[in-house]
């Protein structure tokens, strides 16, 4: 695995993760039973008559998949900590068997004011399905390590 340090991050650079994630029906139901047990997340029959017309993943589940993308694939950012998530948007339902991909675009970066060994990076994260329909987006602020001097 290749780590991308603060010095490697370029504003305006967009990269797509080298991995995809297939959402399984059982996973949608199990996650939602614990965190968001509304009928359109846990009951296939009831979900058919919902506004979604079928079973869909809950937003917390999709946000968790974003975290999965951040830690998988050939190239990862040398993240120290997530500092915040802004403008989280659910653009399109995520359904069983959807295959999701994720891209990250660096919006801005700055040196840390208090620690010389790190910087702050703001990134637009976009998750899309197999039809290239955007399903989720967020602006992620992350503390990123610098290379050892």
């Amino acid at each position: 695995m290749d780590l991308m340090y603060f010095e490697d991050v370029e504003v305006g650079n967009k990269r797509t993760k080298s991995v995809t994630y297939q959402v399984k029906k059982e996973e949608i139901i199990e996650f939602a039973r614990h965190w968001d047990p509304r009928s359109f997340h846990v009951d296939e029959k009831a979900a058919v008559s919902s506004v979604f017309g079928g079973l869909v993943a809950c937003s917390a589940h999709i946000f968790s998949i974003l975290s999965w993308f951040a830690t998988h694939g050939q190239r990862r950012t040398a993240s120290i900590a997530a500092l915040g998530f802004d403008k989280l948007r659910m653009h399109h339902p995520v359904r069983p068997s959807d295959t999701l991909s994720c891209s990250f675009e660096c919006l801005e970066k700055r040196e840390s004011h208090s620690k010389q060994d790190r910087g702050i990076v703001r990134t637009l994260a976009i998750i899309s399905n197999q039809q290239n329909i955007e399903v989720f987006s967020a602006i992620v602020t992350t503390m990123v390590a610098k290379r050892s001097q």
Side-chain angles (χ1 to χ4, degrees):
M1 174 188 32
D2 185 25
L3 277 180
M4 189 167 59
Y5 291 91
F6 180 77
E7 296 89 343
D8 303 321
V9 176
E10 294 180 32
V11 174
N13 186 36
K14 184 175 181 178
R15 62 189 174 90
T16 300
K17 293 300 280 194
S18 61
V19 294
T20 59
Y21 188 91
Q22 186 171 38
V23 182
K24 295 181 177 29
K25 176 179 74 171
E26 299 78 18
E27 176 187 352
I28 289 173
I29 294 168
E30 182 181 338
F31 190 101
R33 275 192 182 132
H34 188 74
W35 298 106
D36 192 356
R38 288 182 249 201
S39 61
F40 43 82
H41 299 316
V42 298
D43 183 335
E44 276 190 282
K45 289 178 183 160
V48 171
S49 57
S50 76
V51 66
F52 300 108
L55 197 67
V56 295
C58 69
S59 56
H61 186 179
I62 299 164
F63 180 79
S64 296
I65 293 169
L66 175 65
S67 293
W68 181 90
F69 275 115
T71 60
H72 288 76
Q74 292 177 346
R75 193 150 202 218
R76 282 185 33 207
T77 303
S79 300
I80 296 170
L83 300 177
F85 300 89
D86 299 303
K87 298 185 179 179
L88 279 77
R89 298 289 182 266
M90 305 301 301
H91 301 284
H92 190 79
V94 173
R95 301 185 182 280
S97 300
D98 276 356
T99 300
L100 304 178
S101 59
C102 188
S103 65
F104 295 94
E105 179 181 354
C106 178
L107 301 175
E108 61 183 273
K109 71 182 230 182
R110 68 171 176 82
E111 307 275 336
S112 170
H113 298 301
S114 59
K115 305 275 185 179
Q116 291 184 1
D117 65 341
R118 62 196 70 175
I120 309 301
V121 177
R122 286 179 45 88
T123 305
L124 172 62
I126 297 174
I127 297 177
S128 300
N129 67 17
Q130 67 279 356
Q131 297 167 328
N132 206 29
I133 296 170
E134 193 173 303
V135 298
F136 175 88
S137 64
I139 295 176
V140 183
T141 303
T142 309
M143 185 181 302
V144 179
K146 289 183 179 179
R147 282 194 172 76
S148 298
Q149 302 298 334

